[in-house]
Amino acid sequence: MNKRENSQIQNMTSEERTIKRVMIYRLGSLGDTVVALPSFHLIARVFPNAKRYLLGGLISNSRASHASAILCDSGLIHDYISYPVGLRNMVALDKLRREITALQPDILVYLAAPRGPIKVLRDVLFFKWCGIKKIIGVPFMAVLRENQWLDNEQRYEHESHRLARCISVLGSPKLDSPESWDLHLTHSENERTRKVLCDLGKDVPFIACGVGSKVEVKDWGKASWEMLLQRLFHRYRGFAVVFVGAKAERDLCDQIGRSWIGKKLNLSGLLTPRESASVLGKATLFIGHDGGPMHLAAAMGTTCVAIFSARNKPGVWFPYGENHHVFYHQTECYGCALDVCAHEAKKCITSITVEEVEEAVQSVLQNVKAFIAT
């Protein structure tokens, strides 16, 4: 950080009252947005009277939800500017520049995912080209661009922690406070949840499942899910199972759901992401892959049994909070960042056994005596 930037930061407190427009730069889909919730809350607290705009990329994958589907109606963001991820065409870039310039942002908060120094510099130059004079959160230093190793926990820091370090000049995002993960769900969203869950019957406890994945290497496998549900049903017959996910996963959920003979609901593709969050908040437990529904469940305070591949570094994308059970087998090829595993047959995730996941579920539900089959 240079002297000029440090001086700007020191003067920020006195200038906050005059800031009318804040732009927030955060790319990604559902999970990327959820882990940034504490940062969005912090920005809203620091600039409560400013118009807050989100600049984000449009995701080409049909299973991915845009950030607006999470933040709409939350009060954290007032409007959005979206553009195709990987935009390079100069005519299109100039159009985006003019769109940003027309909003006249007083300040930009940089919440991009870890990326190299050249890309960071390119981003800054673009925003300067847009006429934005003050930018905070830019990770010029490598220590801010990388998730740090936590020796005492033998894992890397969570992405929400890294983002908090990047914008620490604004204050603390209070990561461990439930309010920092609040989506501010509306009455109509909660009412929609109440209606869809009525099909299960009054006060029937349920396990939420997220069995789909938009990334092939994160998929535990249909056979593993079927075996898990078969085994769990014989022990927890008083529970229902509720599937959440994208519309493209609906048929898969129907197929896997046949393994649960009891009450079940397949809500994949039938709810908005925020309505899904409301459902997940009412679940006794969430079982699922590393993905958006898992992050939503954790944000809603629901205990997760999460099944991870080792494509990312351990800890970075784990469900935030205590009491979650995470399965991550750290093979020698961990951190590959592959979408498809062509050479190792996904051994990191396929080596996770049904028995160990079942044991984790039992440890969470061990005190729910009334619903354990005898």
Side-chain angles (χ1 to χ4, degrees):
M1 183 181 298
N2 59 41
K3 292 181 179 180
R4 181 179 178 181
E5 288 172 325
N6 192 47
S7 176
Q8 288 178 335
I9 289 166
Q10 290 175 352
N11 293 330
M12 188 176 298
T13 301
S14 61
E15 295 177 4
E16 284 167 4
R17 297 176 184 175
T18 65
I19 289 177
K20 297 180 180 178
R21 292 168 293 277
V22 177
M23 180 157 286
I24 304 166
Y25 179 52
R26 176 68 176 171
L27 301 177
S29 53
L30 197 157
D32 303 279
T33 305
V34 174
V35 300
L37 276 173
S39 293
F40 284 110
H41 274 279
L42 173 60
I43 294 165
R45 288 196 301 270
V46 173
F47 306 108
N49 300 317
K51 187 90 169 180
R52 297 180 294 276
Y53 301 92
L54 176 65
L55 175 64
L58 290 171
I59 308 299
S60 58
N61 192 309
S62 62
R63 296 189 186 185
S65 297
H66 186 254
S68 61
I70 306 300
L71 298 175
C72 64
D73 298 323
S74 68
L76 298 172
I77 297 296
H78 298 107
D79 210 343
Y80 310 84
I81 294 181
S82 298
Y83 66 95
V85 171
L87 185 64
R88 294 291 181 271
N89 181 278
M90 286 304 299
V91 174
L93 280 171
D94 184 56
K95 180 181 179 182
L96 177 62
R97 178 194 67 81
R98 285 184 276 111
E99 190 175 359
I100 294 172
T101 302
L103 295 177
Q104 298 181 314
D106 298 304
I107 190 169
L108 182 135
V109 181
Y110 190 95
L111 291 179
R115 56 205 311 176
I118 294 177
K119 290 184 177 180
V120 170
L121 179 59
R122 185 188 65 201
D123 289 342
V124 171
L125 291 176
F126 174 77
F127 292 130
K128 294 294 185 182
W129 185 35
C130 295
I132 304 174
K133 296 180 180 180
K134 182 174 289 186
I135 306 174
I136 64 171
V138 181
F140 285 118
M141 298 180 293
V143 70
L144 294 177
R145 292 195 303 271
E146 301 168 358
N147 299 85
Q148 299 300 291
W149 174 252
L150 306 175
D151 196 55
N152 60 326
E153 300 181 33
Q154 291 297 293
R155 64 174 179 82
Y156 289 86
E157 72 175 330
H158 199 272
E159 174 65 0
S160 59
H161 273 279
R162 188 193 67 83
L163 292 174
R165 289 194 293 113
C166 288
I167 62 170
S168 61
V169 295
L170 294 180
S172 170
K174 303 177 183 178
L175 294 174
D176 295 324
S177 170
E179 288 77 13
S180 295
W181 300 89
D182 193 347
L183 285 166
H184 296 158
L185 297 176
T186 65
H187 172 76
S188 61
E189 288 166 338
N190 287 319
E191 183 64 14
R192 167 72 169 151
T193 296
R194 186 191 66 78
K195 289 180 179 178
V196 297
L197 293 179
C198 278
D199 291 341
L200 296 179
K202 186 177 180 181
D203 298 327
V204 174
F206 66 92
I207 298 169
C209 286
V211 301
S213 177
K214 66 178 184 287
V215 179
E216 191 273 340
V217 77
K218 293 183 179 182
D219 187 358
W220 192 34
K222 180 171 173 281
S224 295
W225 280 111
E226 289 173 336
M227 185 179 295
L228 176 66
L229 290 186
Q230 286 172 4
R231 297 178 69 146
L232 290 178
F233 173 73
H234 292 297
R235 186 171 179 84
Y236 303 105
R237 296 182 185 181
F239 277 83
V241 163
V242 175
F243 294 96
V244 294
K247 182 179 180 180
E249 298 158 0
R250 187 165 179 79
D251 287 345
L252 174 65
C253 293
D254 277 338
Q255 294 170 29
I256 293 174
R258 296 187 188 115
S259 300
W260 187 273
I261 305 171
K263 292 183 177 181
K264 60 198 166 214
L265 277 177
N266 183 0
L267 300 179
S268 299
L270 300 182
L271 303 177
T272 68
R274 289 172 59 83
E275 290 168 347
S276 294
S278 182
V279 168
L280 291 165
K282 293 174 173 55
T284 304
L285 170 70
F286 172 84
I287 314 172
H289 293 135
D290 162 26
M294 178 205 72
H295 289 295
L296 279 179
M300 296 300 293
T302 298
T303 299
C304 298
V305 173
I307 301 167
F308 274 70
S309 75
R311 73 185 295 269
N312 295 314
K313 294 177 179 179
V316 176
W317 295 102
F318 286 2
Y320 193 87
E322 303 294 330
N323 303 318
H324 301 300
H325 295 254
V326 176
F327 293 96
Y328 179 103
H329 288 184
Q330 190 167 321
T331 52
E332 65 277 5
C333 52
Y334 84 99
C336 66
L338 293 173
D339 288 347
V340 177
C341 180
H343 301 293
E344 300 293 344
K346 300 197 303 185
K347 65 182 181 181
C348 57
I349 192 167
T350 56
S351 63
I352 298 171
T353 66
V354 170
E355 289 75 18
E356 59 186 319
V357 177
E358 180 186 19
E359 184 177 340
V361 173
Q362 289 178 7
S363 70
V364 175
L365 300 181
Q366 60 185 339
N367 294 322
V368 193
K369 305 292 187 183
F371 301 99
I372 298 178
T374 58

